[in-house]
Amino acid sequence: MTNMSKIWIVLPAYNEEEALPPLFESLNEVLSEEKKDFSIIVVNDGSTDNTAQVLADYGKKLPVIAVHNDGNKGLAETIRHGLLEAIERTADKDIIITMDADNTHPAGLVLRMVRVLKEGNDVVIASRYREGSYVKGLSLFRRFLSKGVSWLFQFFFPIHGVRDYTCGYRAYHAGMMKKVMKKYGDQFISERGFSCMVDILLRLRENDLVFAEVPMVLRYDQKPGASKMNVMQTIFDTFWLLIRRRFFERRIR
Ligand SMILES: Nc1nc2c(ncn2[C@@H]2O[C@H](COP(=O)(O)OP(=O)(O)O)[C@@H](O)[C@H]2O)c(=O)[nH]1
Ligand SMILES: [Mg+2]
């Protein structure tokens, strides 16, 4: 076991009492079947439903580690918290995976992402824009928005191998993540809301890394509740991030 790299799954969760149990079950199924060593770090962002209880229950039967924000801090702060918790625990050869806690990102894809990461990539993105990708159940408007962001960023901030800038399902080489997060400190994530996923990618882009994508089947039809994304706010934040980084801020090297 000791020479195996461990998989650390980081889940930002805000009121996900319904989605977490089936997600835990399927992660456990796919990873145990392949005899992978794994832990799931869930950052509870001041949920007002039974998320905390679900985490306490699952912590007794699966390798689920619950950490709690004091209050509702938003997605960016929650992802940052989760990544910091992860890099404190990981060995350099480990793998850190972030995914939505809403049970729309298929657990089975973890295996392929790990495989592709080990094939020589530093970052692997589960992408909606590759041969074999499929999006089920997401509104036309939301699909159009992500696609627009994808085009804009591919034009202004091209990254070799990257088309999906917004998806939260990603695999990172742990040693790389440690180095990069230490280097930027508080500036690693400057956004507050859902635009943090683009923000992280732009930071990583400033470093000499290798990116790859694998096709994802996004099961938005399995989402138990409504989306928690504030669409207008996210559009605004994302555009402002693009303009700031493109025209006002200097690249940090
Ligand atoms: N920390 C935090 N996480 C949130 C918040 N809103 C949503 N999330 C989490 O962020 C992820 C993405 O949210 P989701 O509703 O799936 O957005 P969508 O898939 O883009 O419609 C999920 O894991 C949510 O639990 C929030 O206010 N704070
Ligand atoms: Mg989601």
Side-chain angles (χ1 to χ4, degrees):
M1 278 304 248
T2 47
N3 59 355
M4 241 168 92
S5 58
K6 182 166 174 175
I7 302 169
W8 298 82
I9 296 167
V10 173
L11 303 175
Y14 178 59
N15 292 348
E16 299 288 6
E17 60 174 6
E18 274 182 273
L20 284 171
L23 177 59
F24 288 154
E25 299 291 349
S26 31
L27 282 169
N28 182 44
E29 186 188 321
V30 290
L31 293 167
S32 310
E33 238 168 46
E34 297 294 320
K35 305 202 165 34
K36 300 283 188 201
D37 188 11
F38 72 98
S39 280
I40 306 172
I41 300 175
V42 186
V43 185
N44 176 12
D45 189 31
S47 298
T48 51
D49 68 353
N50 277 322
T51 294
Q53 190 55 48
V54 168
L55 295 180
D57 294 346
Y58 270 89
K60 288 176 204 142
K61 43 185 178 168
L62 293 179
V64 171
I65 303 165
V67 293
H68 299 269
N69 284 346
D70 43 350
N72 183 232
K73 297 285 164 79
L75 185 57
E77 193 48 45
T78 308
I79 291 264
R80 184 217 310 276
H81 190 175
L83 289 173
L84 286 173
E85 292 285 338
I87 60 172
E88 255 176 41
R89 296 171 162 90
T90 49
D92 281 356
K93 63 178 164 47
D94 289 354
I95 290 162
I96 301 172
I97 297 198
T98 58
M99 65 197 287
D100 279 7
D102 62 349
N103 199 28
T104 59
H105 294 164
L109 196 55
V110 165
L111 298 173
R112 201 198 296 194
M113 292 168 79
V114 167
R115 183 77 257 141
V116 173
L117 200 83
K118 288 185 177 179
E119 285 171 15
N121 297 287
D122 300 302
V123 180
V124 174
I125 297 170
S127 172
R128 289 160 290 178
Y129 312 118
R130 293 283 161 187
E131 182 81 42
S133 303
Y134 186 60
V135 176
K136 190 163 169 60
L138 188 64
S139 74
L140 207 63
F141 179 61
R142 281 281 308 265
R143 286 195 339 234
F144 168 80
L145 280 182
S146 330
K147 189 87 197 188
V149 170
S150 160
W151 280 333
L152 263 180
F153 280 87
Q154 280 185 80
F155 184 78
F156 286 107
F157 296 95
I159 306 174
H160 183 84
V162 178
R163 291 181 188 162
D164 200 325
Y165 283 71
T166 48
C167 182
Y169 198 2
R170 294 181 188 155
Y172 305 99
H173 184 270
M176 174 283 289
M177 211 52 175
K178 262 185 217 181
K179 240 182 20 213
V180 174
M181 287 186 78
K182 277 211 186 97
K183 172 177 153 186
Y184 290 102
D186 283 348
Q187 298 199 60
F188 181 64
I189 299 179
S190 61
E191 292 298 288
R192 289 217 242 137
F194 276 58
S195 51
C196 65
M197 292 321 295
V198 180
D199 192 15
I200 291 172
L201 216 51
L202 295 187
R203 277 289 174 246
L204 296 174
R205 179 181 179 270
E206 297 175 345
N207 297 270
D208 191 19
L209 303 175
V210 186
F211 298 79
E213 290 193 338
V214 296
M216 167 174 60
V217 178
L218 179 64
R219 294 302 306 266
Y220 218 74
D221 58 322
Q222 287 179 3
K223 196 173 169 69
S227 171
K228 297 180 183 94
M229 182 168 97
N230 180 333
V231 179
M232 285 335 247
Q233 183 72 48
T234 305
I235 296 174
F236 178 84
D237 290 347
T238 307
F239 271 99
W240 181 229
L241 176 67
L242 185 144
I243 290 164
R244 249 172 38 223
R245 287 287 158 78
R246 186 75 181 76
F247 301 107
F248 298 119
E249 283 174 12
R250 290 188 44 233
R251 186 173 167 133
I252 304 174
R253 277 192 184 275

